[in-house]
Amino acid sequence: VDEVPCTACDGSRLRPDAAATRFGQQTLGELTAQPLGETLEQFAALKLSKAEKGMIGEVLREIVGRLKFLVEVGLDYMSLDRRSPTLSG
């Protein structure tokens, strides 16, 4: 038996509304497919207006904090879209 990507989501495992979400020029699927180190750099470099900080400031701090932890423990090469069987215990 061979695994084949879903034809509806192209293997991203995202619902249509989530797959349509964009962060800058990237879709959510593209964002989660890049290495964590790159993702951290991208989020850390964000320049937000005062209004934007009020809306997403706490969420952004949480995302950056979690990404920093993963990068600090040496997982900067991994991506968020990895399947669990590909991870070691």
Side-chain angles (χ1 to χ4, degrees):
V1 176
D2 219 5
E3 290 188 30
V4 246
C6 170
T7 56
C9 69
D10 292 325
S12 71
R13 299 186 311 266
L14 296 171
R15 296 185 327 230
D17 57 334
T21 302
R22 291 194 163 274
F23 178 77
Q25 297 300 316
Q26 293 179 301
T27 64
L28 192 55
E30 293 167 340
L31 185 67
T32 60
Q34 68 188 20
L36 294 174
E38 289 179 28
T39 307
L40 174 60
E41 289 173 10
Q42 197 170 353
F43 277 100
L46 275 179
K47 302 293 185 224
L48 302 175
S49 69
K50 193 171 187 171
E52 290 170 327
K53 283 181 185 177
M55 288 186 285
I56 64 165
E58 187 59 38
V59 173
L60 182 61
R61 276 189 293 280
E62 190 68 28
I63 290 170
V64 169
R66 290 174 188 232
L67 287 171
K68 274 185 183 176
F69 171 77
L70 292 169
V71 168
E72 287 171 1
V73 297
L75 300 176
D76 55 316
Y77 64 93
M78 292 185 64
S79 63
L80 294 172
D81 68 346
R82 293 221 8 201
R83 296 181 53 244
S84 57
T86 68
L87 304 172
S88 67

